[in-house]
């Protein structure tokens, strides 16, 4: 792979002509992409979508929007560190133009990386997938179960709804509508798992196989993007864009530090409990090995104890913990850049199969921080209530709108939408209907699949508040 193609500014949809008066003031193509992103409705909706904790009146809890801004910032800084460091590990083929492009692509990709996530956090993804697993055999279309009409890949797409694949779908459709018509370098960077829904395996040694990254509906469009940027192998498989590794690390760093800070501020654990939990991941024998991951992780926890006993203690544990997380974040960024540079050849060859924390001094640190979220946050009453609400709300909406979409556009007198179905369909945004009209093929099975995707597009695009409100209005109850 080479940076002249990896940083392609070719768009996914038809490009608009630049007004002649602006030719005197040239703007980087990726800067134009950045403006499109922050001006888009899809990006703005992230302000009312759950990151980890249910949205409440507290002004410190992060939403998908604030999380995405943090990831964008960390990703851009990592890009600058990779391309402009003064160490022997700096990749020799990253010149000035490439350095500028790398930072700009990561800035944009960080803003977009959660664009496809449905309401109610990652649990919303699970609810949508599980609903289809249960109902593809129970709902009939023209006298036959839905599953019997779909190819195995189409059924698997629905049963394994994935926010990453949904983000790709949103952006490719928006590009053709000229709403968020982005450079292919950014689109490619966003696809963390360039694998279809029949080929992914969570425990695969190759990280790109851990989840699905595109649906059957976008497979050929994604191939076109990959061919442009040069991430298609000689055998026709897809490899990751090199900047995807950096984006993934930025997401992990933000999640493992910022979300942990939110959990602490919400009173879900004390620093004494956190310290005890942290130290449980290694032994005294591990610490005796100098320069081991346990040694460096322990150095961090000693730093936390030191900060609690310093001037920060006068302002409380919250100040000490925040300062400590800032230090941790910098160390995680340092090892990310080191690993990217150290494994640069295999990354550029498309053969590197791990994340950028593997085999670094802080590989254990990032694992502990992620485990801490599971230990202290995920069983908190607020999150459990959110998940129960998500189950009720999304299942209800899927049942109503899938049923309504089955015969949308049908001309067969024996199979027409009911009056109620037509009313449900009137609620749909015209954009979703037009996307379907543009994509339909005339093949009955594939068009049925596209109508089901039309429903997941609509529901996954909802904010938390809108989903709750719509559920209450359609179900006739006041609250959940």
């Amino acid at each position: 792979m080479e940076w002249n193609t990896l940083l392609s500014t070719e768009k996914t949809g038809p490009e608009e002509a630049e007004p002649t008066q602006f030719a005197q003031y040239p703007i980087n193509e990726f800067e134009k992409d950045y403006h499109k992103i922050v001006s888009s409705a899809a990006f703005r909706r992230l302000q009312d979508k759950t990151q980890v904790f249910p949205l409440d009146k507290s002004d410190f809890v992060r939403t998908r929007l604030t999380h995405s801004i943090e990831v964008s910032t960390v990703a851009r800084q990592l890009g600058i560190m990779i391309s402009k460091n003064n160490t022997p590990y700096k990749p020799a083929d990253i010149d000035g133009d490439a350095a500028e492009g790398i930072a700009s692509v990561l800035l944009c990709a960080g803003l977009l990386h959660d664009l496809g996530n449905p309401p109610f956090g990652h649990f919303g993804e699970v609810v949508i997938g599980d609903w289809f697993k249960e109902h593809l055999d129970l709902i009939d279309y023209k006298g036959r179960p839905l599953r019997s009409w779909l190819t195995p890949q189409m059924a698997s797409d629905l049963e394994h709804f994935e926010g990453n694949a949904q983000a790709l779908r949103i952006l490719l459709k928006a590009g053709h509508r000229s709403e968020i018509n982005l450079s292919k370098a950014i689109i490619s960077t966003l696809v963390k798992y360039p694998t279809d829904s029949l080929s992914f395996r969570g425990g695969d040694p190759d990280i790109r196989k851990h989840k699905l990254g595109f649906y059957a509906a976008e497979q050929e469009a994604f191939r076109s993007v990959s061919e442009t940027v040069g991430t298609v192998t000689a055998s026709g498989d897809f490899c990751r864009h090199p900047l995807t590794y950096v984006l993934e690390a930025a997401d992990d760093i933000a999640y493992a530090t910022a979300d942990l800070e939110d959990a602490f501020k919400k009173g879900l654990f004390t620093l004494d409990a956190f310290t005890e939990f942290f130290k449980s991941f290694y032994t005294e024998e591990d610490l005796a090995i100098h320069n081991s991951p346990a040694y460096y992780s322990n150095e961090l926890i000693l730093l936390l104890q030191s900060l609690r006993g310093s001037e920060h203690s006068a302002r409380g544990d919250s100040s000490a913990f925040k300062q400590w997380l800032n230090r941790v974040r910098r160390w995680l960024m340092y090892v990310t850049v080191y690993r990217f540079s150290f494994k640069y050849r295999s990354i550029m060859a498309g053969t590197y199969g791990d994340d950028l924390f593997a085999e670094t001094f802080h590989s254990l640190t990032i694992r502990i921080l992620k485990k801490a979220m599971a230990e202290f946050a995920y069983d908190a009453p607020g999150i459990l209530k959110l998940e129960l609400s998500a189950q009720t709300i999304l299942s209800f909406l899927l049942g109503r709108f899938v049923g309504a979409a089955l015969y949308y556009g049908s001309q067969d007198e024996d199979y027409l939408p009911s009056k109620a179905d037509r009313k449900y369909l009137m609620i749909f945004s015209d954009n979703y209907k037009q996307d379907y009209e543009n994509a339909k093929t005339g093949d009955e099975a594939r068009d049925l699949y596209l109508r089901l995707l039309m429903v997941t597009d609509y529901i996954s695009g909802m904010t938390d508040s809108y989903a709750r409100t719509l559920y209450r209005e359609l179900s006739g109850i006041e609250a959940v």
Side-chain angles (χ1 to χ4, degrees):
M1 291 182 278
E2 298 180 353
W3 290 110
N4 63 334
T5 54
L6 288 168
L7 297 173
S8 170
T9 58
E10 182 179 318
K11 308 303 181 187
T12 58
E15 296 189 56
E16 296 181 2
E18 185 78 8
T20 55
Q21 60 267 35
F22 284 100
Q24 303 172 61
Y25 308 99
I27 301 173
N28 180 301
E29 284 298 316
F30 298 127
E31 292 294 333
K32 297 176 186 177
D33 289 333
Y34 181 83
H35 176 74
K36 295 173 189 174
I37 294 165
V38 298
S39 302
S40 68
F43 178 68
R44 293 197 303 276
R45 279 196 290 269
L46 295 176
Q47 68 186 311
D48 190 20
K49 287 195 175 187
T50 295
Q51 167 59 12
V52 172
F53 300 100
L55 306 182
D56 55 31
K57 295 180 181 179
S58 301
D59 58 2
F60 65 83
V61 172
R62 288 164 170 87
T63 66
R64 283 285 169 195
L65 182 67
T66 49
H67 167 73
S68 296
I69 293 171
E70 288 176 328
V71 172
S72 175
T73 301
V74 172
R76 179 178 179 273
Q77 290 175 346
L78 289 172
I80 293 171
M81 291 168 70
I82 287 168
S83 60
K84 295 187 177 181
N85 69 76
N86 295 317
T87 71
Y89 297 108
K90 177 183 176 181
D93 61 338
I94 298 180
D95 58 19
D97 289 341
E100 182 181 359
I102 286 170
S104 296
V105 167
L106 287 168
L107 179 71
C108 293
L111 293 180
L112 293 165
H113 80 284
D114 273 350
L115 199 70
N117 281 37
F120 311 118
H122 286 295
F123 190 70
E125 293 177 287
V126 175
V127 171
I128 293 173
D130 286 351
W131 189 91
F132 280 106
K133 287 175 185 176
E134 180 181 353
H135 289 87
L136 286 182
D137 295 305
L138 299 179
I139 297 175
D140 281 358
Y141 174 74
K142 293 189 174 181
R144 289 165 43 194
L146 282 177
R147 188 182 301 279
S148 69
W149 289 89
L150 306 175
T151 67
Q153 184 177 356
M154 291 174 184
S156 187
D157 288 350
L158 296 165
E159 292 176 324
H160 299 95
F161 177 88
E162 171 58 46
N164 292 284
Q166 187 65 23
L168 175 66
R169 177 168 168 77
I170 290 169
L171 292 171
L172 289 174
K173 291 190 303 171
H176 286 289
R177 292 197 302 266
S178 297
E179 290 181 6
I180 322 178
N181 189 16
L182 301 179
S183 300
K184 290 185 177 181
I186 296 172
I187 301 295
S188 181
T189 297
L190 282 169
V191 183
K192 294 169 66 175
Y193 311 102
T195 304
D196 66 60
S197 64
L198 295 179
S199 305
F200 77 94
R201 295 176 297 278
D204 197 285
D206 189 340
I207 197 168
R208 65 179 171 169
K209 299 285 188 181
H210 285 186
K211 295 180 181 179
L212 67 100
F214 53 83
Y215 300 134
E218 285 73 54
Q219 187 159 340
E220 289 310 309
F222 177 63
R223 179 170 294 279
S224 174
V225 169
S226 301
E227 288 172 347
T228 299
V229 301
T231 55
V232 180
T233 67
S235 62
D237 292 333
F238 302 112
C239 60
R240 272 183 163 189
H241 192 291
L243 297 184
T244 304
Y245 294 96
V246 184
L247 176 64
E248 180 181 50
D251 191 15
D252 285 344
I253 291 169
Y255 156 75
T257 57
D259 292 345
L260 197 61
E261 180 187 7
D262 282 355
F264 179 73
K265 286 186 175 180
K266 288 180 76 70
L268 300 183
F269 61 89
T270 66
L271 290 196
D272 289 333
F274 176 77
T275 300
E276 182 179 350
F277 174 79
F278 198 99
K279 289 183 174 181
S280 71
F281 282 81
Y282 50 84
T283 65
E284 289 297 324
E285 289 76 13
D286 296 326
L287 296 179
I289 305 173
H290 188 65
N291 286 344
S292 68
Y295 174 86
Y296 283 96
S297 292
N298 191 60
E299 287 290 301
L300 285 178
I301 210 65
L302 292 176
L303 172 63
L304 177 58
Q305 292 171 332
S306 173
L307 290 170
R308 293 181 74 187
S310 68
E311 71 275 8
H312 295 282
S313 62
R315 299 194 296 272
D317 280 354
S318 180
S319 176
F321 194 51
K322 183 178 180 65
Q323 179 71 7
W324 182 77
L325 287 171
N326 287 336
R327 300 273 192 95
V328 171
R329 188 178 300 114
R330 289 200 291 269
W331 269 114
L332 293 175
M333 292 174 69
Y334 168 80
V335 297
T336 293
V337 173
Y338 167 80
R339 187 67 174 174
F340 183 89
S341 302
F342 187 68
K343 289 294 182 180
Y344 185 69
R345 288 187 179 181
S346 59
I347 288 172
M348 295 298 285
T351 58
Y352 185 66
D354 218 325
D355 62 39
L356 293 181
F357 300 108
E359 299 179 24
T360 66
F361 290 152
H362 285 290
S363 57
L364 178 60
T365 300
I366 190 72
R367 183 162 67 90
I368 295 173
L369 295 176
K370 288 183 176 181
K371 292 285 187 181
M373 285 298 296
E375 175 73 12
F376 297 115
Y378 292 151
D379 288 336
I383 291 182
L384 295 177
K385 290 177 182 177
L386 174 80
E387 292 179 350
L388 292 171
S389 294
Q391 181 79 44
T392 300
I393 293 168
L394 295 179
S395 296
F396 174 88
L397 295 176
L398 283 164
R400 295 300 189 276
F401 287 108
V402 165
L406 290 180
Y407 300 108
Y408 171 68
S410 173
Q411 303 299 315
D412 189 333
E413 291 295 329
D414 294 326
Y415 299 101
L416 295 174
S418 67
K419 290 182 178 179
D421 289 339
R422 288 196 292 272
K423 292 178 180 178
Y424 279 117
L425 289 166
M426 290 176 67
I427 298 174
F428 269 72
S429 164
D430 288 339
N431 280 343
Y432 296 115
K433 297 175 188 175
Q434 190 58 54
D435 287 337
Y436 167 72
E437 295 295 336
N438 293 339
K440 68 180 183 180
T441 63
D443 178 275
E444 187 166 16
R446 186 170 180 84
D447 289 350
L448 172 62
Y449 162 70
L450 293 175
R451 291 197 296 278
L452 296 175
L453 287 181
M454 179 177 71
V455 175
T456 58
D457 289 344
Y458 175 52
I459 292 177
S460 66
M462 295 178 182
T463 64
D464 291 19
S465 297
Y466 182 77
R468 285 192 185 97
T469 299
L470 187 61
Y471 168 76
R472 291 166 181 167
E473 291 173 344
L474 297 180
S475 63
I477 65 174
E478 289 298 319
V480 180

